[in-house]
Amino acid sequence: MREQHADIVIVGGGTGGCAAALAAAKLGKQVVMTEETNWIGGQLTSQGVPPDEHPWIEQFGCTRSYRAFRNGVRDYYRRHFPLTPAARAHPYLNPGNGWVSRLCHEPRAALSVLQQMLAPYVHSGRVTILTRHRLISAQTADDRIISITVESAESGDRLELAAPYILDATESGDVLPLAGVEYVTGAESVEQTGEPHAVQGEPQPMDMQAFTHCFAIDYHQGEDHTIEKPESYHFWREYKPDFWPDKLLSWTGMRPDTHEPITYELFPGTNRPSLYDYRQIADKHNFSGGLYPSSISMVNWPQNDFWLGPVIEVSEKERQRHLYQAKQLSLSLLYWLQTEAPRPDGKQGYPGLRLRKDVFGTEDGLAIAPYLRESRRIKAEFTVLEQHLSPTCRPDGKAETFPDAVGIGCYRIDLHPSTGNRPYLYIPSLPYQIPLGCLIPIRVDNLLPACKNAGVTHITNGCFRLHPVEWNIGEAAGYIAAYCLERKLSPRSVRNDPQELAEFQRLLTREGVELSWPSMRAV
């Protein structure tokens, strides 16, 4: 087995992993980043999830590098696409005009921008990216990880990667169990955390948020693009969750805030919410010359959230079964839309809906990877609780102030239905700081979380799992690892030394990481 050494090894090339690699490389460190799929970018690319962001994202509330990514996406379309004059002139161009985000874009555009951002460090040899490499094992000694081993999906060869710092940027926190790092999963109890919305009684470690296998579609009226009937279609066609107002495959959903029924429609035209332009990633009206005969929509809707079983902390057989059924649910939703969905004109089905397999380049047309909303989470020096950022727990209307802040975030506490058969939790939160303490494991010295695996709870993960926050966490992890290498310190010692902490925070500020919010309201 070959060996390779670096200053920092990042396992997982998703949104947080890319941000971590950029940060460490900017400070001159040698980085190896592995990624199980063939695309880097995670939520932004291989999972097909347009950015979920707070209302002030265009003015403030993210890191300089995340803003560079957002601007890069807009510039990508301006440079390479025949935009209409109005679209080209719009300072906040939204390529898809989806209403979920101020920047809905195609996954391939995001992939290109991330590759361009990393290109100087890849070309110079400072960053090595190993795609299609799966994590196999971790080697430890005392309270440190010595190396990790990955396997190439193409050759089957194994590679041992050794570094003073290992960053876990996997979507599931996969390094944690292999390295014996203390972690939690699922839902903590009220007795454990004191959070108002934690579960009563015993903790439920297998109660995790739904995950989703997204896919892209466009629409060609008068044509028939009906897919083959999915194997599990009958099950999903008849499936009605106990807490859901109707069958899952219907136009009736559940309001996440009140749990009251809500009726959707496919296309805009009435006062009902339209699902087609909800996560629309390419609006044909933004492009001239008939470039796009149809707008393209990303299907990450209430109807294809899969909550019948987790893919973490289960056997490989069970994991594969749940991944398969999540794909079957998404394909069944598409088949139902094409063949049986009630239409305003009294007909059934929209056969003109076309599965855009080219958007991800996959054989089945679905996203390269599932969108996982919840991960293993480290047991950290400090854990962010609902009490730190919920307006109902903060009479002064301000989130807890963290002196060890390494970034900021803001989003509602948004939990999708869970494997514990619980419905949405969708409640306000206050603009908050990200404390360095939630990035430091209670024991292991050289492991840092760089994705959704930081020291948060099942509840607070609901507002930490979004794109700009994951990016900020990854970026902070990359910077603290590089800083500690320079000064021969540990993240723990930086946090607990006021002088070193202040110096590290000055570095973050110089690099464009915002550490505090102006006076804000709950969202």
Side-chain angles (χ1 to χ4, degrees), residues 449-480:
C451 192
K452 295 182 283 289
N453 50 351
V456 294
T457 66
H458 177 70
I459 302 296
T460 52
N461 168 70
C463 62
F464 265 68
R465 63 178 174 82
L466 293 314
H467 305 66
V469 181
E470 181 186 330
W471 184 290
N472 195 151
I473 287 171
E475 187 167 356
Y479 279 131
I480 189 66

Side-chain angles (χ1 to χ4, degrees), residues 399-411:
E400 183 83 16
T401 299
F402 297 129
D404 62 339
V406 292
I408 57 176
C410 187
Y411 202 76

Side-chain angles (χ1 to χ4, degrees), residues 176-423:
L176 307 183
L178 293 177
V181 180
E182 293 81 359
Y183 66 91
V184 297
T185 63
E188 295 92 344
S189 68
V190 173
E191 289 74 13
Q192 287 177 310
T193 67
E195 294 173 299
H197 289 90
V199 298
Q200 299 291 331
E202 294 296 315
Q204 299 178 18
M206 300 305 290
D207 187 1
M208 306 176 200
Q209 283 191 75
F211 67 93
T212 307
H213 228 114
C214 305
F215 59 95
I217 53 174
D218 60 10
Y219 183 63
H220 301 269
Q221 190 171 2
E223 299 180 10
D224 189 346
H225 296 280
T226 304
I227 64 170
E228 184 178 346
K229 186 177 181 179
E231 182 182 46
S232 301
Y233 180 68
H234 179 73
F235 172 82
W236 290 114
R237 182 181 180 274
E238 300 302 318
Y239 175 63
K240 182 189 179 305
D242 295 339
F243 56 82
W244 208 253
D246 199 347
K247 292 179 180 179
L248 186 60
L249 299 189
S250 73
W251 293 127
T252 303
M254 173 187 287
R255 287 185 60 95
D257 49 352
T258 65
H259 295 176
E260 296 174 349
I262 181 172
T263 303
Y264 301 102
E265 64 179 359
L266 183 57
F267 298 114
T270 70
N271 59 357
R272 297 173 177 174
S274 160
L275 288 174
Y276 195 90
D277 59 356
Y278 172 41
R279 295 186 183 272
Q280 190 170 273
I281 57 173
D283 183 353
K284 67 178 183 179
H285 300 102
N286 276 335
F287 305 92
S288 61
L291 179 68
Y292 286 74
S294 165
S295 298
I296 304 173
S297 181
M298 188 65 66
V299 180
N300 176 7
W301 300 348
Q303 296 99 321
N304 63 326
D305 273 2
F306 180 86
W307 55 68
L308 294 189
V311 291
I312 301 172
E313 302 295 289
V314 295
S315 68
E316 182 60 22
K317 182 178 180 180
E318 187 172 356
R319 176 177 176 271
Q320 290 299 329
R321 184 170 70 250
H322 293 159
L323 289 171
Y324 174 76
Q325 284 301 331
K327 286 189 172 187
Q328 283 288 298
L329 170 56
S330 286
L331 292 171
S332 294
L333 171 58
L334 174 58
Y335 187 77
W336 176 81
L337 289 167
Q338 292 173 324
T339 61
E340 296 192 66
R343 296 168 43 149
D345 61 8
K347 297 179 181 179
Q348 283 190 320
Y350 296 86
L353 290 173
R354 180 176 61 162
L355 179 61
R356 286 292 301 267
K357 294 185 176 184
D358 60 304
V359 168
F360 293 106
T362 56
E363 188 174 341
D364 59 15
L366 303 179
I368 294 168
Y371 172 38
L372 303 183
R373 295 180 175 87
E374 195 161 333
S375 170
R376 300 175 180 91
R377 306 181 294 275
I378 64 165
K379 289 186 177 181
E381 279 209 343
F382 183 85
T383 301
V384 181
L385 306 175
E386 183 182 353
Q387 299 93 301
H388 296 134
L389 44 77
S390 168
T392 59
C393 303
R394 311 291 304 176
D396 62 355
K398 297 179 180 179
E400 183 83 16
T401 299
F402 297 129
D404 62 339
V406 292
I408 57 176
C410 187
Y411 202 76
R412 292 177 70 90
I413 295 174
D414 179 6
L415 274 67
H416 284 230
S418 72
T419 56
N421 203 36
R422 289 189 292 127

Side-chain angles (χ1 to χ4, degrees), residues 5-9 24-25 28-32 124-128 163 485:
H5 293 262
D7 295 319
I8 298 169
V9 168
K29 300 308 169 193
Q30 201 77 21
V31 177
V32 175
S124 64
R126 192 175 293 175
V127 171
T128 300
L485 283 169

